Structures are given as C-alpha cells and as structure tokens.
Amino acid sequence: MDPALSRRAFLLASGMTATGVALDFALSSTQAASSTVTPSAAALMTTVHTVARPHGAGGYRRLSDGPGWRRVTRTELAEAKKDRAGRRTALACFVQFTDLHITDVQSPQRYEFLRAADVGSWRPQEALTAVGAVSLIEQVNSLRYGPATRAPIGFVMTTGDNTDNNSRVELEWFLTAMTGGRFTPNTGDPGAYEGVQGSGLGLYWQPESGVRDVDKRAGFPRLEGFLEAAIREVSSPGLAVPWYSTIGNHDQLFGGAYSAAGGFFADLATGSRKLFTLPASEAGSVYRALRRGDPTGAGLRAAWKHHKSKTRTVTPDERRAPVSPHAYVAAHLDPAYTGSGPVGHGYTRDNLESGRLDYSFRIADGVVGISLDTTDRGGDYRGSVGTGQLTWLERTLKTHAGDIALIFSHHPSWAMTNLAPNPARPHEKRHGGQELLAVLRKHRNVAAWINGHSHLNRIVPHDGFWEISTASHVDYPQLARVVELADNHDGTLSLFTTLVESAAPHRTDFTDLSQDGLAALYRELSFNSPGLRSGLAGLPGDRNAELLLKKR
C-alpha cells in the first residue's frame, strides 16, 4: 500500500532520462547458447510477446490478447558496450512473486466497509486470489528458462504479503499452493459463503443477485454459481523449482496495518460477529487514520464497537487465528510443506529460536541472496528495520564481500518511513529506507535490491545498484518478474527483468467457472476493479529491461 505518484514525480524519482533508456534490438538473436531452448520460445510465455489488452470503451471492459512490451536497456549506472551479448555468461536466473494476497474473504477481521469512504478499499476479485496464485505457479513451471539468457530458472522468491489477514488458514493455503496439493479456500460454514458478496448490500458486487450494486452499475456481470465456485477445492501442482519466502506486513499484522495490542483483532478474527458496513463519514475517519498511521487500530476498534449492534452472525472458525513470527517460521519448516525445497524455504532453526526473520542463502557460485524482514511489529503498513538487523546486514555483506549480493525485502525504500518501536524489542531503534540505502551503498558488491509492497512496477538506480520493485498479483496487471543476472565480461553486469502473467487465458467466458476459467476471470475483474490506481504497470523502463551496472 503506497500513495500514488504523479507521472512527473515518478520520472524524477526513478532517474529515467532520454539518454538512459534505449531499445535493445539484439537480445533475442545474439544470446550465448547455454541450452537447447531458444530465447523466442521462453519469450512467447512472457510479456515480451503478449500482454492482456482491454477492448471496448467505457464501463466494464473485456480483455483479449495484446502486443507485448519491448525490452528497454537502461544505462544510468554503466555503459552498454558493443557485442556484450556474444560474450555474456549467465550467473543466476529466478522468479520474483510478490503480494499474492491469498485471502480469506469471509474473515470477520477484514475491513471491507472502508469502501464506503474509498471505493478501492475492497476489490471485487478478492475471492479468486487462490486460483490466481495457482495459475501463476503453473506459468512458472511451464516457463522453465529465462527468456534473455536461457539459463534454467533456479528458484522462486516471494517478497511478502503472501497472505492478507495474518491468519493461520491463509498461511496453510499459501504453503499448499506453493508446495502442491489440494485446499479449499473457505472458512466458517463449510457449506456456504458468508462474506460481503452474499450480503445483499449494494456497496459490494453481488454476483448472484439482481441488486444494482456499485459494481453492476459500472457494468459488472451477474454470474450464477460464482460464490459456490469461488470457495470450492483448488488443486495446485506446486512449484517445480525450489522457493524462498520473505515476510510482508500483511503476513504479520492484522489487515496489514494493526499490531496485536489488546487482543481485539485476534478475538474478532475467530469470533462469530462480522461488521459488513459503516456510514460513509465514519468509514472515512477510519480510512484517514489508517493512511496517517494508526498502529493499534484505535480508530477501527472504536468504530466497530460503536456499531456492534449492526454486526451480523457468521460461523466462528479457530483457523482464522493470527500467526506469530515463531509460528510463521515453524509452518515453513514443517516437512509437509517442503515441496521442491529447501527445508524452511530460507528460514532455519536459528530463525525459529531468535524470532528474527532475516537470512542469507547461496544463489549460485559467486552470488548470494539476503532476505530482510522490513515489517514493523509495532503496526502500520509502512516498513522499517531495527538496529540489530542493520548490524546483521553489514556483517553478512562483509562476510560475502567476494560475492555479488542480491537483497530481498517486502518494502521498497520509499515505503520505509514507519519508525514505531517493535513491541518485542521496545528499546531498539528503528531505521527507514534512506538509512538502509546508505548501508547498501557502502558495500560495492550489492547489485540489486528487489522488493514489492507498492503494487507498482518501478526500477530506480542508486549509487552502484538497482532497486527493482514489482507489481502485485492481486491488482491489475497481476504480474511476476523473471530476473536474470549475467556477466558481460567487459567490466559490466546485466540484470534482465522480464514480467510474466499467469497461465490463465486473456479471454474470459462467463459460463466457465472451472479453476482455469476463474483464474482468467480473476485477471479481468482486477482490470475493471473500481478505484484501481492507474499506472501500476509502470513505464517501459520499469517492465522488461536490461539494467547495466559496473562489475565491482
């Protein structure tokens, strides 16, 4: 969650200039022959080849196949030297997932009622997050190779907000989707849907009724059987490659913003009363408090208690209980969720015992990955890190001074402005994004900082390294990113970033409520979601790019 940027401010912040952005015409024809798979075959499955495109004008718009996004070469940090493609050696290739937001849409702890003040506070597509995530997994399994270097995909890294409500059941769904198996994205009554989309309230899309709700007035369809399909069993093949996990604010805070102070939210999540709506004025007060920073949720709790008599009865479910840092790591270490590995998906027994969720791992010979926990347990959707984390990061970078370092976190530098004390370490100082950038600049082996959170494609050059932030998989355009690191053997490195959509077809059929059909509908609903911020796909240089930097 990050306030939208104006186009002019975005251009200035990203450092993009006319001389720093150029087309790379030679990529697809001059790669080193490191496998039998041609670059064009891999590119056919990415946004280099095709991207979903809306057609029609006004109201609800349908999606179909559209032209791909060209690859752009960015030279702010190093010159693009001639014939580098013929000399190039691939060092690493992996995929970044971020902001999957696998969601229990029936949880009483959710605050959908903020839509009365801000229409974008609730998304019509949220009931389909599970099938959308599985479709993305299927796409990566089919892709297999990097489209620029043809190196095999070595692993997937999720950079947080894997879940939405910090609940045990959502974590189970996420882990099952990633490792493979069957799960049912339904809580409460096992035989019925009890969320806002069956409430009859015009504030939300009512897919199975004739209510002229906010979304139908914008052209959303009436779909008989949608809710039953949305909560039926989902089958996931699991990732065919190893995967690692980085934690986000929605994975550890109630609603991604509120700390566990007082136990109110924990009781609410597992209880039997759900608030479906608030008057617009009170919803506005809660929303403004959230945006300013309300780490304990005081505004939301007051509004909820004031309107408790208007709540509705739902089926309680203990599986909605919150997940502590210890339980989060323990779940990743559970052998049932090892899948393609590694055990713990980056987390170890040391993380379990210390409560710190930072770790490093070997990506390849000469390349190390470092995962940072930027979620502030004190509350607020914005991030920070503690002094102990910065000390650990400095020590780890010094230990791996001879390696190229790739940093992973949930929050980008511009969203790390929350310095609320961590309740578990109340006397430890918190540090924002600018302080973290200063540490990374000191270590010349850092090549990239890869993150999410803002639901926006944005690539920013810093002194010696690139910050790569990727759009979410819940808001349109619903993308993941392939990252390839290569040595050009001319004193420069290239980082290739290539965006991929899920395996679901661009065209949807409203009568197809199969798992694949729902995944396609998930994308189309997200495109049409009222209140969606524009420009989340970013500018051309933030999408499919070759990022040059000097080899240190």
Side-chain angles (χ1 to χ4, degrees), residues 524-539:
E524 186 169 287
L525 293 176
S526 73
F527 172 80
N528 287 282
S529 181
L532 177 70
R533 285 185 290 148
S534 63
L536 295 181
L539 297 175

Side-chain angles (χ1 to χ4, degrees), residues 208-428:
E208 298 187 16
S209 81
V211 172
R212 287 291 291 171
D213 55 64
V214 168
D215 302 289
K216 287 204 194 78
R217 291 198 295 272
F220 271 64
R222 182 172 178 177
L223 297 179
E224 295 292 343
F226 173 85
L227 295 177
E228 180 182 354
I231 61 173
R232 70 171 174 236
E233 186 179 72
V234 174
S235 178
S236 174
L239 282 165
V241 295
W243 62 273
Y244 295 84
S245 184
T246 294
I247 198 165
N249 53 299
H250 277 266
D251 300 316
Q252 277 293 279
L253 300 174
F254 297 99
Y258 303 132
S259 72
F264 168 82
F265 289 105
D267 293 340
L268 183 61
T270 58
S272 62
R273 306 299 297 177
K274 180 174 173 65
L275 185 60
F276 283 69
T277 186
L278 274 178
S281 60
E282 293 193 48
S285 296
V286 176
Y287 178 76
R288 287 189 294 274
L290 171 66
R291 299 299 294 172
R292 288 193 303 268
D294 183 15
T296 64
L300 189 150
R301 287 187 290 166
W304 199 96
K305 291 177 179 178
H306 181 67
H307 290 277
K308 188 174 182 180
S309 62
K310 298 179 182 178
T311 59
R312 301 187 186 187
T313 301
V314 296
T315 306
D317 195 330
E318 288 296 325
R319 297 178 301 159
R320 294 169 174 153
V323 180
S324 67
H326 184 276
Y328 190 84
V329 173
H332 281 74
L333 287 165
D334 188 334
Y337 297 126
T338 297
S340 297
V343 174
H345 305 289
Y347 298 118
T348 66
R349 290 287 168 185
D350 287 341
N351 296 114
L352 192 67
E353 293 168 5
S354 70
R356 292 192 183 274
L357 273 61
D358 312 301
Y359 63 88
S360 63
F361 65 106
R362 175 61 58 186
I363 291 177
D365 289 343
V367 186
V368 66
I370 298 174
S371 174
L372 281 177
D373 172 13
T374 55
T375 296
D376 192 329
R377 302 305 189 280
D380 197 273
Y381 60 92
R382 290 160 287 214
S384 59
V385 292
T387 298
Q389 292 178 276
L390 282 187
T391 301
W392 174 86
L393 175 62
E394 292 246 37
R395 184 170 64 248
T396 303
L397 287 170
K398 288 177 181 177
T399 299
H400 294 280
D403 293 318
I404 297 169
L406 303 177
I407 312 299
F408 300 93
S409 73
H410 179 61
H411 294 85
S413 60
W414 57 89
M416 293 181 63
T417 57
N418 168 34
L419 305 181
N422 180 348
R425 299 177 177 86
H427 303 297
E428 182 182 44

Side-chain angles (χ1 to χ4, degrees), residues 394-477:
E394 292 246 37
R395 184 170 64 248
T396 303
L397 287 170
K398 288 177 181 177
T399 299
H400 294 280
D403 293 318
I404 297 169
L406 303 177
I407 312 299
F408 300 93
S409 73
H410 179 61
H411 294 85
S413 60
W414 57 89
M416 293 181 63
T417 57
N418 168 34
L419 305 181
N422 180 348
R425 299 177 177 86
H427 303 297
E428 182 182 44
K429 183 180 178 181
R430 302 293 295 184
H431 305 269
Q434 292 305 308
E435 290 180 272
L436 180 51
L437 283 173
V439 169
L440 298 181
R441 290 189 186 104
K442 287 166 51 181
H443 297 271
R444 309 310 289 176
N445 57 329
V446 175
W449 177 9
I450 299 162
N451 51 52
H453 180 72
S454 291
H455 295 207
L456 167 74
N457 288 319
R458 185 181 180 192
I459 299 177
V460 181
H462 296 293
D463 182 14
F465 66 94
W466 293 92
E467 184 172 3
I468 302 168
S469 197
T470 301
S472 75
H473 204 256
V474 65
D475 287 322
Y476 190 82

Side-chain angles (χ1 to χ4, degrees), residues 94 242 274 371 488 498:
F94 60 92
K274 180 174 173 65
S371 174
N488 296 320
T498 309

